[in-house]
Amino acid sequence: MRASMALLSILSLTAAFPAAQVRTSKTLDIYVVDVEGGNATLFVSPSGESVLIDSGNGGAAAPRDADRIMAAVKEAGLTQIDNLITTHWHGDHFGGMAELASRVPIRNFIDHGGNVQPAAAADDFLQKVYPPLYAKSKRTIAKPGDKIAIAGLDWRVVSAAGATIKTPLPGAGKLNPYCASFKPQEVDKTENAQSVGSVIAFGKFRAVHLGDVTWNKEFELMCPSNRIGTVDLLVVSHHAQAISNS
């Protein structure tokens, strides 16, 4: 049964709307798509504008993951993806991109820049596959502090390319008592630490999605003062591994 499900979960702040209906609701809808070990999270604002974070696995799994993402796209009543954030260059986060782009228009490709962890699949993708995809639309290199323009949402980039925001977000910046017991781990030199992380505000509701950001980078975001502040929803980082989620 699980393998046949397009969505692992659908989170809506109020009742979801039928897929065939013209979007008139005032909800923020978040679709966490089951791409079996990778990541694909679709945000749809009340205006109908969309952000997809990551595009699932590549190889033989790419058609399966694209199918599941497209099920969420259709459920949301979308005809395009306005923004695709690729958090980092690991295959379970960008692998399904080309397959997905062949099925639905993607207007803005967002990433942290070049790959810092050389790997044949990622390097080949960045050199040969990715440029023709964003040549048809737009590519944005994310930097901490950037805002992604989506009507009805306040979308802030809080980490990218190994850097983090230095100025607290609105309402944040209080001293964090949990920092006193923090113990750093070995410095992460992989793509995980390069992840594009986002804090999304919809009215008083706040969510955080940090990709695969690891332990020490979380410290930079939240210690000694918490520059992110409190949130209502944490999309658990890095597949819930212990080298993240400090």
Side-chain angles (χ1 to χ4, degrees):
M1 174 62 77
R2 187 178 71 89
S4 67
M5 292 177 63
L7 300 180
L8 179 61
S9 64
I10 301 175
L11 172 66
S12 177
L13 302 188
T14 59
F17 56 92
Q21 178 179 312
V22 176
R23 186 174 177 86
T24 58
S25 65
K26 297 181 179 180
T27 62
L28 166 63
D29 297 335
I30 305 172
Y31 298 78
V32 180
V33 183
D34 180 8
V35 291
E36 300 194 21
N39 179 66
T41 311
L42 177 65
F43 294 76
V44 185
S45 74
S47 67
E49 294 174 81
S50 57
V51 181
L52 175 66
I53 302 181
D54 293 330
S55 50
N57 296 278
R64 176 203 69 196
D65 290 355
D67 282 345
R68 295 178 181 186
I69 295 168
M70 287 304 301
V73 168
K74 292 175 182 177
E75 174 72 19
L78 303 177
T79 58
Q80 66 181 31
I81 293 172
D82 297 300
N83 302 278
L84 170 60
I85 297 175
T86 299
T87 56
H88 61 296
W89 302 117
H90 281 166
D92 54 336
H93 293 260
F94 76 84
M97 187 193 302
E99 178 71 26
L100 182 66
S102 72
R103 304 188 187 197
V104 65
I106 300 171
R107 299 306 181 193
N108 186 23
F109 294 80
I110 302 170
D111 61 78
H112 70 68
N115 177 32
V116 304
Q117 185 185 355
D123 294 338
D124 189 66
F125 176 86
L126 286 168
Q127 292 169 15
K128 300 176 183 178
V129 180
Y130 197 35
L133 296 181
Y134 63 72
K136 301 174 184 178
S137 51
K138 177 184 176 183
R139 181 191 183 189
T140 301
I141 306 298
K143 296 179 176 60
D146 285 354
K147 292 185 179 182
I148 299 176
I150 305 159
L153 303 184
D154 182 4
W155 192 296
R156 308 287 185 110
V157 175
V158 296
S159 66
T164 57
I165 55 170
K166 304 305 179 188
T167 302
L169 298 180
K174 295 181 179 179
L175 289 176
N176 187 346
Y178 296 99
C179 297
S181 59
F182 180 89
K183 295 181 180 180
Q185 295 185 355
E186 184 178 349
V187 173
D188 180 8
K189 298 180 180 180
T190 75
E191 271 289 304
N192 293 321
Q194 305 293 308
S195 290
V196 177
S198 300
V199 172
I200 305 100
F202 172 54
K204 294 182 178 180
F205 173 82
R206 301 176 81 244
V208 60
H209 189 306
L210 299 178
D212 281 2
V213 157
T214 37
W215 191 272
N216 295 350
K217 291 299 173 184
E218 293 172 339
F219 180 84
E220 291 180 18
L221 278 169
M222 303 175 202
C223 292
S225 61
N226 183 357
R227 281 161 276 172
I228 287 179
T230 58
V231 299
D232 301 285
L233 173 68
L234 166 67
V235 180
V236 177
S237 302
H238 201 186
H239 321 284
Q241 294 190 57
I243 57 174
S244 299
N245 307 293
S246 61

XYZ file of all heavy atoms in Angstrom, residues 103-168:
499
model
N 8.188 17.009 -17.386
C 6.746 16.824 -17.184
C 6.004 18.092 -16.806
O 4.783 18.173 -16.998
C 6.517 15.767 -16.100
C 7.184 14.435 -16.385
C 6.748 13.421 -15.368
N 7.490 12.158 -15.485
C 7.096 11.026 -14.950
N 5.956 10.983 -14.267
N 7.824 9.936 -15.071
N 6.712 19.053 -16.225
C 6.053 20.270 -15.759
C 7.029 21.441 -15.901
O 8.224 21.277 -15.633
C 5.571 20.117 -14.301
C 6.739 19.945 -13.333
C 4.695 21.287 -13.871
N 6.557 22.615 -16.325
C 7.457 23.766 -16.413
C 7.965 24.177 -15.027
O 7.202 24.202 -14.059
C 6.571 24.866 -17.015
C 5.443 24.148 -17.674
C 5.215 22.913 -16.860
N 9.254 24.486 -14.951
C 9.876 25.001 -13.726
C 10.420 26.384 -14.049
O 11.248 26.533 -14.957
C 10.989 24.066 -13.224
C 10.412 22.679 -12.914
C 11.668 24.652 -11.977
C 11.463 21.620 -12.607
N 9.967 27.409 -13.348
C 10.259 28.789 -13.710
C 11.545 29.328 -13.104
O 12.192 30.192 -13.687
C 9.087 29.685 -13.312
C 7.773 29.326 -13.993
C 7.922 29.277 -15.499
N 6.670 28.967 -16.181
C 6.583 28.622 -17.460
N 7.687 28.538 -18.194
N 5.408 28.339 -18.005
N 11.923 28.864 -11.932
C 13.112 29.402 -11.266
C 13.830 28.276 -10.539
O 13.251 27.640 -9.653
C 12.718 30.503 -10.279
C 13.918 31.201 -9.652
O 15.015 31.200 -10.203
N 13.700 31.803 -8.494
N 15.058 28.007 -10.933
C 15.888 26.984 -10.297
C 16.792 27.682 -9.284
O 17.531 28.606 -9.636
C 16.738 26.254 -11.328
C 15.960 25.423 -12.317
C 15.336 26.011 -13.412
C 15.847 24.053 -12.152
C 14.625 25.243 -14.326
C 15.133 23.269 -13.062
C 14.528 23.882 -14.149
N 16.732 27.235 -8.036
C 17.487 27.866 -6.949
C 18.430 26.828 -6.346
O 18.014 25.701 -6.034
C 16.538 28.411 -5.869
C 15.556 29.423 -6.474
C 17.320 29.060 -4.727
C 14.430 29.842 -5.534
N 19.702 27.180 -6.160
C 20.674 26.269 -5.549
C 21.761 27.092 -4.879
O 21.752 28.320 -4.930
C 21.258 25.318 -6.606
C 21.979 26.051 -7.708
O 23.129 26.489 -7.488
O 21.404 26.216 -8.816
N 22.724 26.400 -4.240
C 23.768 27.116 -3.494
C 25.010 27.414 -4.324
O 25.953 28.038 -3.843
C 24.173 26.332 -2.232
C 24.932 25.069 -2.493
N 26.212 25.051 -3.004
C 24.598 23.769 -2.298
C 26.646 23.800 -3.116
N 25.668 23.003 -2.704
N 25.029 26.976 -5.585
C 26.219 27.164 -6.405
C 26.899 25.825 -6.680
O 26.249 24.785 -6.688
N 28.198 25.864 -6.905
C 28.936 24.683 -7.330
C 29.034 23.580 -6.291
O 28.870 23.808 -5.092
N 29.308 22.390 -6.764
C 29.458 21.204 -5.924
C 30.824 21.215 -5.233
O 31.855 21.395 -5.877
C 29.325 19.958 -6.819
C 29.537 18.657 -6.067
O 29.204 18.571 -4.887
N 30.092 17.663 -6.743
N 30.844 21.014 -3.900
C 32.114 21.015 -3.158
C 32.599 19.605 -2.841
O 33.679 19.440 -2.274
C 31.994 21.814 -1.838
C 31.524 23.230 -2.105
C 31.088 21.113 -0.833
N 31.812 18.606 -3.179
C 32.145 17.210 -2.878
C 32.180 16.440 -4.192
O 31.183 15.836 -4.578
C 31.112 16.606 -1.920
C 31.422 15.203 -1.459
C 30.295 14.622 -0.606
O 29.322 15.297 -0.292
N 30.428 13.367 -0.226
N 33.302 16.484 -4.890
C 33.344 15.914 -6.243
C 32.819 14.485 -6.295
O 33.192 13.627 -5.497
C 34.832 15.969 -6.596
C 35.371 17.100 -5.778
C 34.602 17.037 -4.483
N 31.910 14.279 -7.231
C 31.329 12.960 -7.488
C 30.898 12.958 -8.938
O 30.335 13.950 -9.424
C 30.148 12.688 -6.562
N 31.155 11.862 -9.628
C 30.927 11.826 -11.073
C 29.496 12.187 -11.445
O 29.262 12.980 -12.376
C 31.288 10.444 -11.617
N 28.516 11.635 -10.729
C 27.114 11.867 -11.087
C 26.740 13.334 -10.935
O 26.098 13.928 -11.813
C 26.200 10.998 -10.240
N 27.137 13.940 -9.806
C 26.806 15.343 -9.570
C 27.548 16.255 -10.541
O 26.964 17.196 -11.102
C 27.128 15.721 -8.134
N 28.831 15.995 -10.754
C 29.611 16.850 -11.638
C 29.116 16.760 -13.076
O 29.024 17.776 -13.775
C 31.089 16.472 -11.561
C 31.692 16.773 -10.193
O 31.129 17.630 -9.476
O 32.706 16.155 -9.836
N 28.773 15.567 -13.519
C 28.247 15.392 -14.868
C 26.910 16.116 -15.026
O 26.655 16.765 -16.041
C 28.092 13.908 -15.173
C 27.749 13.647 -16.632
O 28.598 13.928 -17.498
O 26.640 13.160 -16.910
N 26.062 16.013 -13.986
C 24.767 16.698 -14.019
C 24.950 18.208 -14.132
O 24.301 18.873 -14.943
C 23.968 16.356 -12.769
C 22.661 17.081 -12.654
C 21.516 16.580 -13.252
C 22.568 18.277 -11.950
C 20.312 17.260 -13.165
C 21.367 18.963 -11.852
C 20.238 18.441 -12.463
N 25.848 18.761 -13.310
C 26.035 20.209 -13.292
C 26.643 20.730 -14.589
O 26.359 21.862 -15.008
C 26.918 20.598 -12.110
C 26.232 20.516 -10.740
C 27.240 20.638 -9.611
C 25.171 21.588 -10.614
N 27.454 19.922 -15.234
C 28.113 20.359 -16.462
C 27.235 20.175 -17.704
O 27.232 21.024 -18.599
C 29.425 19.595 -16.648
C 30.487 19.935 -15.622
C 31.675 18.991 -15.668
O 31.855 18.237 -16.630
N 32.508 19.022 -14.629
N 26.465 19.084 -17.744
C 25.791 18.722 -18.982
C 24.263 18.805 -18.925
O 23.626 19.147 -19.925
C 26.191 17.296 -19.381
C 27.691 17.116 -19.604
C 28.026 15.663 -19.903
C 29.533 15.456 -20.066
N 29.861 14.024 -20.312
N 23.670 18.473 -17.797
C 22.207 18.363 -17.717
C 21.557 19.644 -17.188
O 20.558 20.113 -17.735
C 21.805 17.160 -16.827
C 20.283 17.041 -16.750
C 22.422 15.870 -17.367
N 22.126 20.194 -16.140
C 21.507 21.342 -15.468
C 21.447 22.601 -16.342
O 20.388 23.241 -16.424
C 22.259 21.616 -14.173
C 21.552 22.492 -13.164
C 20.164 22.449 -12.988
C 22.273 23.352 -12.341
C 19.532 23.233 -12.048
C 21.658 24.148 -11.387
C 20.276 24.085 -11.247
O 19.652 24.870 -10.302
N 22.529 22.997 -17.020
C 22.458 24.250 -17.799
C 21.331 24.293 -18.821
O 20.640 25.328 -18.913
C 23.848 24.327 -18.454
C 24.742 23.599 -17.499
C 23.908 22.456 -17.003
N 21.056 23.234 -19.583
C 19.918 23.310 -20.508
C 18.567 23.433 -19.812
O 17.621 23.986 -20.391
C 20.002 21.991 -21.289
C 21.428 21.564 -21.169
C 21.850 22.012 -19.808
N 18.469 22.955 -18.582
C 17.207 23.067 -17.853
C 16.934 24.512 -17.457
O 15.853 25.044 -17.724
C 17.219 22.176 -16.609
C 17.318 20.667 -16.834
C 17.291 19.938 -15.488
C 16.198 20.169 -17.725
N 17.900 25.167 -16.824
C 17.637 26.541 -16.387
C 17.793 27.558 -17.514
O 17.337 28.700 -17.384
C 18.461 26.921 -15.163
C 19.967 26.943 -15.309
C 20.618 27.937 -16.041
C 20.752 25.999 -14.655
C 21.994 27.969 -16.139
C 22.121 26.021 -14.748
C 22.749 27.008 -15.487
O 24.128 27.043 -15.577
N 18.388 27.149 -18.629
C 18.475 28.060 -19.779
C 17.095 28.426 -20.299
O 16.904 29.502 -20.885
C 19.303 27.420 -20.889
N 16.114 27.556 -20.067
C 14.750 27.803 -20.528
C 13.962 28.676 -19.558
O 12.825 29.061 -19.858
C 14.028 26.471 -20.704
C 14.698 25.520 -21.688
C 13.997 24.173 -21.691
C 14.713 23.169 -22.587
N 14.063 21.824 -22.549
N 14.558 28.956 -18.388
C 13.835 29.748 -17.394
C 14.814 30.675 -16.677
O 15.319 31.619 -17.275
C 13.095 28.818 -16.425
O 13.968 27.834 -15.902
N 15.128 30.374 -15.400
C 15.973 31.250 -14.604
C 16.702 30.416 -13.561
O 16.175 29.417 -13.066
C 15.102 32.313 -13.912
C 15.833 33.272 -12.986
C 14.833 34.195 -12.305
C 15.506 35.111 -11.285
N 14.519 35.965 -10.573
N 17.930 30.828 -13.243
C 18.663 30.200 -12.149
C 19.053 31.271 -11.139
O 19.535 32.336 -11.505
C 19.926 29.500 -12.651
C 20.698 28.804 -11.534
C 22.071 28.333 -11.984
N 22.777 27.600 -10.936
C 24.065 27.241 -11.016
N 24.767 27.535 -12.095
N 24.631 26.583 -10.010
N 18.858 30.961 -9.848
C 19.221 31.866 -8.765
C 20.176 31.156 -7.818
O 19.894 30.038 -7.377
C 17.969 32.314 -7.980
O 17.058 32.959 -8.872
C 18.340 33.270 -6.861
N 21.311 31.777 -7.508
C 22.234 31.252 -6.514
C 21.835 31.848 -5.169
O 21.920 33.065 -4.968
C 23.695 31.610 -6.841
C 24.050 31.167 -8.269
C 24.637 30.970 -5.820
C 23.962 29.685 -8.507
N 21.395 30.994 -4.262
C 20.876 31.464 -2.978
C 22.006 31.884 -2.044
O 23.080 31.283 -2.027
C 20.051 30.367 -2.315
N 21.711 32.910 -1.251
C 22.638 33.375 -0.222
C 21.855 33.590 1.065
O 20.674 33.969 1.035
C 23.308 34.682 -0.647
C 24.190 34.559 -1.889
C 24.804 35.898 -2.255
C 25.764 35.763 -3.438
N 25.069 35.234 -4.637
N 22.494 33.345 2.210
C 21.795 33.582 3.474
C 21.283 35.017 3.553
O 21.995 35.960 3.204
C 22.877 33.318 4.532
C 23.844 32.400 3.859
C 23.860 32.821 2.424
N 20.055 35.159 3.983
C 19.422 36.467 4.060
C 18.533 36.782 2.880
O 17.734 37.732 2.937
N 18.641 36.002 1.804
C 17.777 36.233 0.639
C 16.318 35.982 0.990
O 15.995 35.155 1.850
C 18.149 35.290 -0.509
C 19.434 35.688 -1.215
O 19.984 36.759 -0.901
O 19.879 34.910 -2.086
N 15.438 36.685 0.287
C 14.008 36.418 0.335
C 13.581 35.847 -1.004
O 14.064 36.276 -2.049
C 13.209 37.692 0.615
C 13.390 38.268 2.003
C 12.449 39.461 2.194
C 12.568 40.052 3.582
N 11.614 41.186 3.782
N 12.711 34.852 -0.970
C 12.108 34.325 -2.191
C 10.711 34.917 -2.285
O 9.901 34.777 -1.363
C 12.073 32.791 -2.177
C 13.501 32.245 -2.084
C 11.389 32.249 -3.428
C 13.591 30.749 -1.960
N 10.452 35.607 -3.385
C 9.203 36.353 -3.530
C 8.041 35.416 -3.828
O 7.954 34.839 -4.909
C 9.345 37.388 -4.637
N 7.162 35.243 -2.838
C 5.952 34.435 -2.978
C 4.831 35.186 -2.263
O 4.922 35.431 -1.053
C 6.123 33.038 -2.353
C 7.332 32.335 -2.940
C 4.872 32.191 -2.557
C 7.860 31.241 -2.074
N 3.811 35.545 -2.997
C 2.718 36.319 -2.413
C 2.099 35.574 -1.236
O 1.787 34.391 -1.328
C 1.653 36.609 -3.470
N 1.964 36.274 -0.114
C 1.328 35.691 1.066
C 2.276 35.009 2.024
O 1.881 34.648 3.130
N 3.537 34.792 1.600
C 4.521 34.139 2.458
C 5.724 35.046 2.663
O 6.068 35.852 1.802
C 5.002 32.825 1.842
C 3.968 31.748 1.509
C 4.677 30.494 0.996
C 3.092 31.421 2.700
N 6.364 34.880 3.797
C 7.667 35.501 4.048
C 8.685 34.368 4.052
O 8.809 33.639 5.032
C 7.664 36.238 5.383
C 8.984 36.952 5.662
O 9.877 36.946 4.779
O 9.144 37.499 6.769
N 9.372 34.195 2.916
C 10.283 33.050 2.732
C 11.717 33.560 2.827
O 12.164 34.345 1.988
C 10.031 32.393 1.375
C 10.701 31.064 1.218
C 12.049 30.801 1.217
C 10.057 29.791 1.056
N 12.289 29.455 1.065
C 11.081 28.818 0.962
C 8.723 29.388 0.974
C 10.799 27.464 0.784
C 8.433 28.050 0.801
C 9.468 27.098 0.712
N 12.443 33.119 3.851
C 13.814 33.571 4.081
C 14.789 32.407 3.923
O 14.585 31.324 4.491
C 13.960 34.122 5.494
C 12.940 35.187 5.902
C 13.182 36.519 5.239
N 12.259 37.526 5.749
C 12.630 38.545 6.528
N 13.894 38.697 6.892
N 11.728 39.422 6.933
N 15.861 32.648 3.194
C 16.975 31.699 3.123
C 17.869 31.964 4.322
O 18.336 33.092 4.531
C 17.764 31.862 1.813
C 18.998 30.960 1.813
C 16.881 31.550 0.614
N 18.112 30.943 5.135
C 18.900 31.126 6.357
C 20.264 30.452 6.281
O 21.140 30.720 7.112
C 18.131 30.641 7.603
C 16.879 31.484 7.817
C 17.770 29.157 7.507
N 20.449 29.567 5.293
C 21.756 28.939 5.097
C 21.929 28.619 3.622
O 20.961 28.336 2.916
C 21.892 27.658 5.934
O 20.980 26.658 5.473
N 23.178 28.656 3.169
C 23.499 28.287 1.789
C 25.010 28.335 1.624
O 25.682 29.231 2.168
C 22.844 29.230 0.778
N 25.552 27.358 0.889
C 26.976 27.320 0.560
C 27.872 27.379 1.791
O 28.937 27.995 1.785
C 27.325 28.444 -0.414
N 27.417 26.750 2.872
C 28.218 26.693 4.088
C 28.147 27.924 4.960
O 28.789 27.975 6.008
N 27.389 28.933 4.553
C 27.231 30.158 5.330
C 25.832 30.208 5.937
O 24.901 29.567 5.448
C 27.464 31.383 4.448
N 25.690 30.994 7.010
C 24.404 31.137 7.688
C 24.114 32.620 7.936
O 25.013 33.463 7.874
C 24.395 30.387 9.034
O 25.482 30.868 9.855
C 24.560 28.888 8.831
N 22.845 32.923 8.211
C 22.481 34.316 8.484
C 23.202 34.808 9.743
O 23.429 34.057 10.685
C 20.959 34.492 8.652
C 20.399 33.552 9.736
C 20.240 34.303 7.342
C 18.961 33.847 10.114
N 23.549 36.084 9.740
C 24.200 36.700 10.899
C 23.242 37.598 11.669
O 23.455 37.854 12.856
C 25.411 37.520 10.441
C 26.430 36.715 9.634
C 26.900 35.474 10.372
C 27.892 34.677 9.535
N 28.223 33.361 10.174
N 22.200 38.052 10.992
C 21.201 38.921 11.625
C 19.960 38.103 11.939
O 19.469 37.366 11.077
C 20.824 40.080 10.686
O 22.006 40.818 10.368
C 19.804 40.997 11.335
N 19.448 38.170 13.157
C 18.247 37.390 13.502
C 17.058 37.751 12.631
O 16.899 38.892 12.191
C 17.985 37.764 14.966
C 19.292 38.280 15.476
C 19.958 38.938 14.306
